[in-house]
Amino acid sequence: MIKKWLDIITDHSIGLRERMFRIVTGVCMIAITFTLPMGRSLWNILMLVTSLAAMAVIVKVSIRKKRVHTGATIIAVLLLTLFPVTFFSAGGFYSGVPEWFVLCFIYVCITLQGRRRAVFFGLCTVETMLCYGIAFYFPEIAVQDFPHNALLDSAFSMIMVGLLTSVLLMFLNRMYEEENALTQRQKKEIEELNRAENNFFSSMSHEIRTPINTIIGLNEIILREDISDEVAENARNIQGASKMLLSLINDILDISKIKSGKMEIVNVSYETGALFSEIVNMIWIKTKEKGLEFKLHVDSSIPSMLCGDEVRIKQILINLLNNAVKYTSEGSVTLSVRCERQGVNRVRVWYSVEDTGMGVKKENIPYIFNAFRRVDAEKNRYIEGTGLGLSIVQQLVELMGGEISVNSVYTKGSTFIVSLEQDIIDEKALGTFTLASRARAHDGEPYRQSFEAPDAHILVVDDNDMNLMVVTKLLLETKIQIDTASSGAECLRLTQNHHYDSILMDHMMPEMDGIECLHALRVQPAGLCQDVPVIALTANAGSDNQLLYRKEGFSGYLAKPVSGALLEAAVLSILPKGLVRLNEAAGQADIEKDILIFEQSQRRSVLVTTDSVCDLPPSLLKEFSIAVCPYYVCTDEGRFLDGQEMNPDELLMHIAGGRTGYSQPPDVEDYERFFAGQLTEAQNVIHITMAKHVSDGYQNALEAAKSFENVTVIDSGHLSSSMGLTVLCAAHMAEHHATKAEIVEYVKRMEHFISSAFIINSTHMMCQSGRISKRIQVLCDALLLHPVLALKKSRMVVRHMEMGSFNHVAKKYIRRTLQDTRNIDRRILFITYSGMNEKRLQYIQNLVQQYCPFERIYLQKASSAIASNCGPGSFGLLFLRRDDTAVPFFQTPERDGAA
């Protein structure tokens, strides 16, 4: 029985919590057994025996039902009941029972979890204090015993409690040590498994790339020949399938490296113009084949040389561009590049890939970067791919400390934006971008080699005869003299007797690999090729391998399978210029006529936008480049754009004629179109709306913003020109290169520093719009009451009432609003009004200057949304209150519209 129990508690297939439950409960049962001799009555002994039997049943049932925590709780309740009874029946202080209370605390701490542990620990504490208190103040309750028996019981209990506690701790310590050892073994096994997995993927990549190199290479040779259309179509299908297989292998290898933490970022100096040229050369044919327009926007101020992981940047952009081409059936694909200085010798570069494809549903955008998941799978089931591309892109961007975001409108297209910080190597600006192209045959066009070098002599070293044949045939039209070697040893024999202008060498070869052969070549006694450039031509792909080859002394690196164009470009880069005759016919005219290349206009980092209800003069909107999304005006005759198709005066006349009229915020689709348009002008958009409880504009804009990671919607907490003041502050900060986070933080704080209140001339419009009841409207008319409306926590409330004629209430309202002159920012004031004549406006302006002169006063006609709720004759004084961190955006020459 004991052996079986010991086997169970050392069995790692059983959970740690269950084994601890068994051990601690077993120790408590032993402790109860030892308290049996302390029982002074038959009833007491019977209760202890019953408790032991109950605990055994509870343990068995709770383990069988997998309710260990419940079983431990029941036993804890039993112990809390049992120990007090035993305490008083065995003699109270003068017995061995007090020492056993310690086990109750130990049991609760080890077997219970969470809130139950805290509750039962408190109950144990309270119970112990109660038992001692009762025994002290009412000693007659405890059964009295002889002193020598009490001393013996106490000594026995102390020894047994110490012994059992020590045994318990020994068992628990042993369990933790075994668990720790098991964890370490499992960790080691996992690490070995990861190493084996990495070795497998690396080996798989190498072994699969070798035959694919043969397939793609020989297939390209076939396409160069004069063949029938049917054969050419079959060859192109083979080429497409081979490249898709290669893409799948690359994705699996990359995701494996990233997940195992083996992906390394290798920062090197690179030419930005060369990078863009190479990317264009890889993408333009794909867009041409699908009938798409390919646009390239390049910021002329970008430095000509940067320091970053060129290979991974190229991989990111190629993945995004391939994705754009894949999901776009008509229209265009655009690559935009712009930069912004971050400090001395540091620049942030934004790469934007935009398409006019099918877009992404807003509910799928949070999952778009998940590995092995394809959003809208039903619609995209015919599009090839693993679903790994975007996940790899995101993780590569994060490894380089950058950011990636996506903006997409379903059925309209998507824009992926990557930002990376890089060091500047050469301050010289790239200027007007000139594409360096490579000729490639496509769609049946005849192949044209990029150069000829009949006097050049090169050596190709590879242990695979098929690879040697492919390279030889791909370079055949260049007329280069080519020798081949199938091993490192044969290479050294040839270089001992022949001089070569360049060498292409495989890495993974038996006996002597490419790196060992290169080192031997450099120190070869009387060798004729000690200083000849050597390119690594290998199936070991990855930027980590590229760094390895550079360190080992190779002049270049080409990953198999390699196309004829890439091979020609690599050989051309290392051959002596005097041996090469360029083929002018294979220039860049074909690419340039299919790609729109032009300098990138300067896109703003942050653009502030708002709604037409901001009530700002056109001059200010233009000066601060604030784009406005118009509200609608709805009447019996239809729906009109506020301020464009119907102005406030026309709406008031329409309503005065007994017809209905009200304002309506833009729909979600309207905001989506608006945001998509603004993101072509800026990297980020901050849209400021009217108070969210006054209009649905905020909720609609927020819903639309879910399609754009670069759009932030903020509730201004105000309306009309007070909302406009918030917009002006934000736009000024954006104009002075504040970050998005800084602007958002300041705008949210501004809500408490803007005075926003309107006095209503007549409550008829408020009644018609449903803001007050007919009874209240009649009462206001009868008593000449004029409510003063203000915003509180984005809700419109009545601040107070004014009574009397217009001139009287206007004077009281202005005096009350401007009475605290010390806390008023006097730089600017908006007097925003609805349906008011020049005489009344002049009267209001004179009163304002009398109580609190302002540097600049704008008389602004309220938008239709405000006019339809406030009615004619209403106006408001809208200004900033003093703030130590206020933005000084009005220290400029006087603008149009200011009084």
Side-chain angles (χ1 to χ4, degrees):
M1 184 71 179
I2 295 176
K3 184 178 182 302
K4 182 179 179 182
W5 185 75
L6 290 172
D7 290 341
I8 290 173
I9 65 172
T10 56
D11 185 359
H12 293 284
S13 63
I14 299 174
L16 180 62
R17 178 62 53 184
E18 180 182 328
R19 287 187 284 149
M20 290 172 63
F21 172 62
R22 287 175 181 269
I23 293 173
V24 180
T25 305
V27 168
C28 286
M29 291 175 70
I30 294 171
I32 292 173
T33 304
F34 282 118
T35 60
L36 285 174
M38 299 179 193
R40 296 296 181 259
S41 65
L42 181 62
W43 178 85
N44 190 253
I45 293 172
L46 184 62
M47 183 184 65
L48 292 173
V49 172
T50 304
S51 299
L52 283 171
M55 290 174 71
V57 172
I58 292 168
V59 170
K60 189 171 183 179
V61 172
S62 61
I63 289 174
R64 182 180 298 171
K65 299 288 187 181
K66 300 187 182 300
R67 302 294 295 273
V68 171
H69 201 216
T70 302
T73 305
I74 296 171
I75 292 175
V77 172
L78 184 62
L79 292 176
L80 286 173
T81 306
L82 185 63
F83 279 118
V85 174
T86 308
F87 175 80
F88 289 107
S89 63
F93 289 130
Y94 309 104
S95 68
V97 177
E99 287 79 2
W100 296 102
F101 275 88
V102 175
L103 285 179
C104 193
F105 282 95
I106 293 174
Y107 187 86
V108 167
C109 288
I110 294 177
T111 60
L112 299 185
Q113 292 177 294
R115 187 176 296 178
R116 289 190 193 182
R117 177 189 292 168
V119 170
F120 274 87
F121 194 89
L123 289 174
C124 286
T125 304
V126 171
E127 182 183 78
T128 304
M129 294 175 66
L130 283 174
C131 287
Y132 272 68
I134 292 171
F136 180 78
Y137 288 106
F138 306 99
E140 66 278 5
I141 294 178
V143 176
Q144 301 300 315
D145 196 5
F146 296 108
H148 68 278
N149 287 340
L151 288 173
L152 288 174
D153 287 346
S154 180
F156 175 75
S157 296
M158 183 64 72
I159 293 171
M160 291 309 302
V161 168
L163 180 62
L164 290 174
T165 303
S166 300
V167 170
L168 175 63
L169 293 175
M170 286 170 57
F171 268 110
L172 292 178
N173 187 53
R174 180 182 173 185
M175 286 173 59
Y176 281 122
E177 287 179 350
E178 289 177 351
E179 287 294 322
N180 185 55
L182 179 63
T183 302
Q184 293 299 323
R185 285 199 302 274
Q186 290 175 341
K187 181 181 177 182
K188 187 176 180 181
E189 289 173 2
I190 291 171
E191 289 175 350
E192 291 176 353
L193 183 63
N194 282 335
R195 281 195 293 270
E197 181 182 288
N198 291 333
N199 291 335
F200 167 75
F201 279 120
S202 179
S203 174
M204 181 187 73
S205 172
H206 181 273
E207 296 304 321
I208 294 180
R209 279 173 180 273
T210 299
I212 289 180
N213 181 56
T214 302
I215 294 170
I216 292 179
L218 294 179
N219 193 70
E220 186 172 338
I221 299 297
I222 293 173
L223 286 169
R224 293 179 181 181
E225 304 294 333
D226 184 13
I227 53 179
S228 66
D229 292 342
E230 183 179 355
V231 174
E233 182 181 356
N234 292 338
R236 282 193 291 272
N237 290 335
I238 293 171
Q239 188 178 48
S242 301
K243 289 182 178 179
M244 175 55 64
L245 178 58
L246 180 63
S247 174
L248 298 179
I249 294 169
N250 289 339
D251 284 351
I252 293 171
L253 182 63
D254 284 339
I255 203 72
S256 170
K257 283 186 176 181
I258 291 170
K259 294 296 184 184
S260 62
K262 301 294 184 181
M263 181 67 75
E264 295 182 4
I265 299 302
V266 183
N267 291 324
V268 297
S269 301
Y270 70 93
E271 295 182 8
T272 52
L275 174 71
F276 301 144
S277 292
E278 189 163 354
I279 289 171
V280 169
N281 276 291
M282 298 175 73
I283 293 298
W284 77 283
I285 286 183
K286 291 187 178 182
T287 58
K288 182 178 176 63
E289 288 172 349
K290 289 195 70 173
L292 303 175
E293 186 179 25
F294 183 41
K295 302 176 183 177
L296 180 63
H297 302 239
V298 181
D299 186 346
S300 61
S301 67
I302 189 171
S304 58
M305 287 194 71
L306 296 173
C307 180
D309 193 330
E310 179 187 12
V311 173
R312 294 307 172 191
I313 293 172
K314 193 187 308 176
Q315 182 180 356
I316 288 168
L317 296 180
I318 291 296
N319 270 359
L320 291 177
L321 287 165
N322 281 335
N323 208 58
V325 173
K326 192 189 306 182
Y327 289 96
T328 303
S329 56
E330 61 180 1
S332 63
V333 173
T334 304
L335 171 61
S336 302
V337 185
R338 77 175 191 89
C339 73
E340 186 176 286
R341 290 297 180 102
Q342 298 293 300
V344 180
N345 295 327
R346 192 76 171 164
V347 70
R348 177 175 287 274
V349 183
W350 279 273
Y351 306 93
S352 174
V353 175
E354 182 180 356
D355 64 65
T356 57
M358 61 182 65
V360 182
K361 293 178 179 177
K362 67 182 70 174
E363 60 267 24
N364 288 330
I365 287 179
Y367 312 107
I368 199 168
F369 294 111
N370 288 9
F372 302 104
R373 175 164 180 166
R374 302 182 71 182
V375 298
D376 207 0
E378 179 64 25
K379 189 171 182 178
N380 300 330
R381 64 187 183 278
Y382 299 115
I383 295 177
E384 298 170 324
T386 59
L388 290 174
L390 290 179
S391 176
I392 291 170
V393 165
Q394 183 192 41
Q395 294 181 74
L396 287 176
V397 170
E398 290 175 351
L399 282 173
M400 289 190 280
E403 298 176 355
I404 183 170
S405 59
V406 57
N407 302 316
S408 185
V409 178
Y410 191 53
T411 73
K412 301 296 182 182
S414 304
T415 302
F416 288 85
I417 302 167
V418 174
S419 67
L420 298 171
E421 284 197 17
Q422 300 173 62
D423 291 326
I424 300 172
I425 301 300
D426 189 344
E427 292 274 357
K428 181 182 177 183
L430 180 63
T432 303
F433 176 59
T434 303
L435 181 66
S437 66
R438 294 190 302 265
R440 294 175 59 180
H442 63 282
D443 288 343
E445 293 182 7
Y447 161 76
R448 292 173 295 181
Q449 71 276 21
S450 58
F451 71 94
E452 292 181 358
D455 297 327
H457 198 183
I458 70 171
L459 174 65
V460 183
V461 185
D462 199 309
D463 62 311
N464 187 296
D465 291 337
M466 294 298 292
N467 287 340
L468 293 173
M469 180 186 67
V470 167
V471 172
T472 302
K473 289 193 172 187
L474 286 175
L475 294 176
L476 184 64
E477 297 297 324
T478 64
K479 301 180 181 179
I480 296 176
Q481 302 173 47
I482 301 174
D483 288 347
T484 61
S486 57
S487 66
E490 186 177 354
C491 167
L492 295 176
R493 285 197 298 273
L494 289 171
T495 55
Q496 189 76 48
N497 302 313
H498 302 279
H499 171 76
Y500 295 100
D501 298 301
S502 65
I503 298 174
L504 304 179
M505 187 176 298
D506 185 27
H507 177 193
M508 304 296 289
M509 295 186 293
E511 298 178 6
M512 180 186 292
D513 66 25
I515 294 176
E516 293 171 340
C517 183
L518 175 66
H519 292 166
L521 186 68
R522 295 304 186 212
V523 295
Q524 186 180 29
L528 301 178
C529 298
Q530 292 182 353
D531 300 319
V532 168
V534 181
I535 290 180
L537 182 61
T538 175
N540 288 333
S543 62
D544 46 352
N545 289 318
Q546 183 182 12
L547 178 63
L548 169 67
Y549 297 131
R550 185 179 291 109
K551 286 182 177 178
E552 295 296 342
F554 284 93
S555 303
Y557 160 87
L558 275 177
K560 297 175 186 175
V562 62
S563 68
L566 284 173
L567 184 60
E568 286 183 14
V571 173
L572 178 62
S573 67
I574 60 173
L575 282 179
K577 302 304 178 186
L579 300 177
V580 175
R581 183 172 66 251
L582 294 176
N583 186 352
E584 299 297 335
Q588 66 183 52
D590 287 341
I591 298 183
E592 286 185 337
K593 71 183 181 183
D594 292 317
I595 304 175
L596 298 181
I597 305 174
F598 47 91
E599 184 178 329
Q600 167 70 11
S601 58
Q602 285 293 327
R603 296 176 70 192
R604 303 179 64 174
S605 178
V606 179
L607 179 66
V608 175
T609 63
T610 187
D611 297 323
S612 60
V613 291
C614 67
D615 291 342
L616 289 174
S619 59
L620 290 180
L621 294 175
K622 182 179 180 180
E623 178 171 348
F624 289 100
S625 302
I626 300 169
V628 171
C629 187
Y631 264 54
Y632 290 107
V633 177
C634 300
T635 68
D636 300 330
E637 300 172 359
R639 193 170 76 159
F640 307 94
L641 291 176
D642 183 12
Q644 298 178 22
E645 298 174 342
M646 178 175 281
N647 62 46
D649 290 337
E650 291 173 334
L651 176 62
L652 290 175
M653 290 176 61
H654 182 88
I655 296 174
R659 291 171 290 181
T660 59
Y662 58 91
S663 69
Q664 186 182 73
D667 301 328
V668 174
E669 292 76 14
D670 294 326
Y671 276 119
E672 285 179 346
R673 286 192 294 271
F674 177 73
F675 292 152
Q678 299 311 310
L679 283 169
T680 63
E681 306 294 330
Q683 207 68 41
N684 297 280
V685 169
I686 296 177
H687 187 77
I688 300 174
T689 70
M690 191 195 296
K692 61 183 177 183
H693 297 303
V694 177
S695 165
D696 291 333
Y698 172 77
Q699 294 299 334
N700 290 352
L702 200 63
E703 182 65 25
K706 292 179 181 178
S707 297
F708 308 92
E709 290 191 19
N710 297 62
V711 174
T712 303
V713 177
I714 306 176
D715 168 23
S716 68
H718 293 279
L719 50 75
S720 189
S721 299
S722 56
M723 166 188 163
L725 283 169
T726 305
V727 174
L728 287 175
C729 288
H732 179 271
M733 293 181 70
E735 201 173 61
H736 288 75
H737 308 294
T739 65
K740 181 175 74 172
E742 290 171 343
I743 296 173
V744 170
E745 181 184 0
Y746 188 80
V747 166
K748 289 180 178 178
R749 195 160 57 84
M750 269 193 71
E751 181 180 348
H752 308 291
F753 294 95
I754 295 179
S755 177
S756 176
F758 279 81
I759 185 163
I760 307 301
N761 184 41
S762 171
T763 56
H764 284 264
M765 290 287 190
M766 293 182 66
C767 178
Q768 186 172 329
S769 63
R771 296 194 178 276
I772 61 173
S773 66
K774 182 66 176 177
R775 184 177 300 175
I776 294 176
Q777 183 248 314
V778 171
L779 181 64
C780 289
D781 286 351
L783 299 177
L784 296 178
L785 292 175
H786 302 269
V788 175
L789 303 181
L791 273 295
K792 185 176 182 180
K793 295 183 179 179
S794 293
R795 297 181 187 276
M796 189 178 291
V797 297
V798 177
R799 180 181 291 176
H800 59 271
M801 291 281 193
E802 300 287 359
M803 180 182 292
S805 65
F806 172 80
N807 287 352
H808 176 71
V809 298
K811 186 173 183 179
K812 288 180 63 178
Y813 163 71
I814 294 171
R815 185 176 61 220
R816 186 194 294 260
T817 304
L818 302 178
Q819 64 183 353
D820 189 12
T821 56
R822 291 176 301 176
N823 291 323
I824 294 177
D825 187 333
R826 301 193 186 194
R827 290 176 297 168
I828 184 171
L829 169 72
F830 281 96
I831 301 176
T832 305
Y833 63 92
S834 170
M836 195 174 289
N837 57 40
E838 292 288 338
K839 184 178 178 181
R840 285 194 170 184
L841 285 173
Q842 188 61 49
Y843 174 71
I844 293 169
Q845 190 172 347
N846 292 338
L847 286 174
V848 167
Q849 294 292 33
Q850 178 183 336
Y851 289 110
C852 181
F854 282 83
E855 295 176 18
R856 198 171 312 283
I857 296 178
Y858 285 88
L859 300 177
Q860 177 64 36
K861 187 177 292 186
S863 62
S864 298
I866 304 300
S868 62
N869 284 281
C870 296
S874 303
F875 74 97
L877 304 182
L878 312 172
F879 55 88
L880 289 167
R881 297 197 180 276
R882 287 194 180 277
D883 176 16
D884 293 338
T885 60
V887 179
F889 57 93
F890 291 108
Q891 295 177 3
T892 57
E894 189 166 326
R895 302 174 175 85
D896 296 338

